[in-house]
Amino acid sequence: MQPRYATVKQDLLNAIARGTYQAGDRLPSESELTARYGISRPTVNRALRELQQEGAIVRVAGVGSFVAEQKHDVAVSMVQDIADEIRAGGQRHDCEVLELGRTRADQELAARFRVAEGTTLYRSAIVHRGDGMPVQYEYRLVNPAFCPDYLRSDFEHETPHRVLTRAGSVERVDHTIEATLPRAEIARLLRVKPSAPCLAIHRRTWSRGMVASVAYLVYPGDRYRISGTFSAASPRRSAPRRQAG
């Protein structure tokens, strides 16, 4: 007979696998699970703690537990400045600032930033270009506690990457990379057809012990590829590289 915490854990995993709870959904609270199974709160807490350690759920203090994204991850450890990358290819970087303002964290964003729902976040949307050709659409949300001056930055002359790096060094980065078809507006901004495949990167960055920013980056698929170098001593993967032509 398995321990009671293991029963709770397995039942929740089964519910996630069946689709009863999907990515971003809030799970029953510790109190609800304690009443449902007739067990102690520490027993329920152990089940949720192990699910979090295994990456199945995300727990937000004072908010609750949420189902984590269940996509396959492609790790990319190097975070590069898009402006430096464009210049390294021998082109001139410039950009268009599309949006700069504030928003409030909904349930999903609260879980990703590990803050309370309704917390103010800064947002920006920028298209980066090399010699006038769009090469990246960047939509970014920033924790004001990490970079209070973010909205006062001059993004036509300094990238968000550089502003955030100055605010604090990167401690951890999570990436999810996927092939995608761009939304009509993003396709227009990148000057590609809506049927053109693109690379999309979902990136979450930690610094100074907090989630500093969450970014959604879209690259034209015919202009970028993912490449990397690996070794047992120092595993690395590079950021997207633009193809010649």
Side-chain angles (χ1 to χ4, degrees):
M1 183 175 179
Q2 65 180 356
R4 305 190 77 180
Y5 82 87
T7 299
V8 178
K9 177 181 173 182
Q10 190 58 53
D11 285 355
L12 290 174
L13 286 173
N14 290 342
I16 293 171
R18 289 194 306 269
T20 304
Y21 301 115
Q22 299 183 6
D25 286 351
R26 188 197 298 264
L27 295 174
S29 67
E30 288 189 16
S31 297
E32 291 171 328
L33 292 172
T34 295
R36 179 184 302 179
Y37 287 90
I39 56 180
S40 67
R41 197 176 186 115
T43 301
V44 169
N45 185 273
R46 178 174 177 180
L48 295 176
R49 186 172 67 250
E50 290 197 3
L51 288 172
Q52 181 185 31
Q53 291 170 347
E54 294 170 8
I57 68 172
V58 175
R59 303 178 74 190
V60 183
V63 179
S65 300
F66 303 86
V67 180
E69 294 182 358
Q70 301 300 307
K71 295 182 180 180
H72 296 289
D73 293 333
V74 178
V76 178
S77 60
M78 293 180 64
V79 178
Q80 297 183 347
D81 188 341
I82 183 65
D84 290 342
E85 193 174 313
I86 289 171
R87 294 183 188 115
Q91 295 184 330
R92 177 182 58 84
H93 168 265
D94 73 324
C95 69
E96 179 183 358
V97 179
L98 307 168
E99 184 179 341
L100 198 60
R102 294 173 172 82
T103 190
R104 292 194 177 276
D106 58 15
Q107 184 180 96
E108 179 183 357
L109 286 175
R112 298 204 72 189
F113 273 91
R114 301 187 178 180
V115 297
E117 193 170 341
T119 297
T120 296
L121 300 172
Y122 294 156
R123 73 175 186 270
S124 60
I126 299 173
V127 171
H128 297 277
R129 299 181 291 236
D131 284 349
M133 177 63 71
V135 294
Q136 184 198 76
Y137 169 81
E138 172 187 356
Y139 181 77
R140 187 179 295 273
L141 293 162
V142 173
N143 188 342
F146 171 73
C147 189
D149 295 331
Y150 185 77
L151 295 182
R152 292 193 287 270
S153 302
D154 182 0
F155 291 119
E156 291 187 357
H157 297 91
E158 192 172 33
T159 62
H161 171 88
R162 189 152 296 178
V163 170
L164 295 173
T165 300
R166 189 167 59 245
S169 59
V170 174
E171 296 171 355
R172 172 182 164 190
V173 179
D174 285 348
H175 292 271
T176 300
I177 303 176
E178 61 185 0
T180 187
L181 296 179
R183 299 193 304 270
E185 178 62 15
I186 294 179
R188 183 186 68 79
L189 292 169
L190 292 177
R191 300 183 199 171
V192 298
K193 296 179 179 179
S195 59
C198 291
L199 291 174
I201 297 181
H202 302 264
R203 175 181 293 161
R204 181 167 54 167
T205 306
W206 276 259
S207 184
R208 302 207 320 256
M210 70 182 81
V211 177
S213 73
V214 170
Y216 176 61
L217 313 172
V218 183
Y219 303 81
D222 62 349
R223 299 174 204 161
Y224 272 78
R225 68 177 183 269
I226 302 298
S227 61
T229 302
F230 308 88
S231 70
S234 179
R236 297 181 304 167
R237 291 187 187 230
S238 69
R241 299 283 187 179
R242 266 188 319 127
Q243 298 184 17

